[in-house]
């Protein structure tokens, strides 16, 4: 498959799984059934993304091997330990340790914020769909799912900057 064709296929499949994910409440009424169906949609989306993730991992490993062969040090797996090992003793080491801890805190806050925003968005979309369904709109969740699926597919069609090289 060409890169453009693979990107198009992945974008369409991701768009379909997104649409299906958000349409689940129109199909399943119980919370447990919705949970299982949404988990299946997430698994399908992950299966679609797996080949791209595998290719990215292979390219990263190849790049790391080339870097090591060129004599440029390769980043260690444990970045915090590497920084602490190279910091020396005394104030410089404690300053470096504080920097690493601050970095870890920033990452933790970013992840927590991302999860909070995602949960809030999911709840808002569900409540909006339920309100539209109560107002008599047929397939209220499916309509929202189709819009979000189309947006996801459109985003997936944007080429990666590295593809232009």
């Amino acid at each position: 498959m060409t890169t453009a064709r693979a990107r198009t296929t992945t974008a369409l499949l991701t768009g379909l799984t997104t649409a299906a994910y958000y349409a689940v409440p129109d199909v399943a009424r119980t919370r447990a059934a919705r949970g299982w169906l949404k988990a299946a949609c997430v698994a399908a989306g992950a299966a679609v993304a797996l080949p791209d993730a595998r290719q990215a991992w292979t390219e990263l490993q190849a790049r790391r091997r080339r870097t090591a062969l060129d004599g440029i040090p390769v980043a260690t797996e444990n970045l915090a330990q590497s920084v602490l090992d190279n910091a020396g003793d005394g104030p410089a080491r404690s300053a470096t340790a504080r920097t690493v801890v601050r970095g870890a805190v920033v990452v933790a806050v970013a992840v927590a914020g991302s999860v909070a925003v995602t949960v809030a968005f999911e709840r808002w979309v569900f409540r909006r769909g339920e309100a539209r369904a109560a107002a008599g709109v047929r397939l209220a969740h499916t309509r929202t799912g189709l819009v979000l699926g189309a947006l996801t597919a459109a985003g997936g069609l944007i080429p990666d900057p590295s593809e232009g090289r």
Side-chain angles (χ1 to χ4, degrees):
M1 247 191 254
T2 65
T3 303
R5 184 172 177 193
R7 183 176 50 249
T8 302
T9 302
T10 301
L12 291 175
L13 290 173
T14 305
L16 284 172
T17 57
T18 300
Y21 178 89
Y22 287 104
V24 163
D26 287 337
V27 178
R29 290 289 163 207
T30 68
R31 183 176 233 181
R34 284 194 309 265
W36 283 108
L37 288 173
K38 284 189 171 201
C41 290
V42 168
V48 168
L50 186 62
D52 289 340
R54 185 177 295 140
Q55 180 181 358
W57 177 257
T58 302
E59 290 171 2
L60 174 67
Q61 294 303 314
R63 193 168 42 248
R64 291 181 80 186
R65 280 191 295 276
R66 283 192 307 270
T67 303
L69 292 175
D70 290 341
I72 300 171
V74 178
T76 62
E77 297 298 324
N78 188 343
L79 179 61
Q81 187 61 46
S82 173
V83 169
L84 291 173
D85 289 345
N86 293 322
D89 292 327
R93 182 176 183 135
S94 62
T96 303
R98 282 192 301 272
T99 302
V100 170
V101 170
R102 284 184 191 130
V105 169
V106 167
V107 168
V109 168
V111 168
S114 175
V115 169
V117 168
T118 301
V119 169
F121 177 75
E122 293 285 328
R123 287 183 176 183
W124 176 78
V125 167
F126 180 75
R127 283 193 312 266
R128 184 176 183 275
E130 289 295 294
R132 292 179 71 214
V137 175
R138 291 184 42 114
L139 302 174
H141 294 280
T142 302
R143 290 178 182 194
T144 302
L146 290 172
V147 170
L148 294 173
L151 290 172
T152 301
L157 291 173
I158 299 171
D160 214 2
S162 65
E163 289 178 21
R165 295 179 194 170

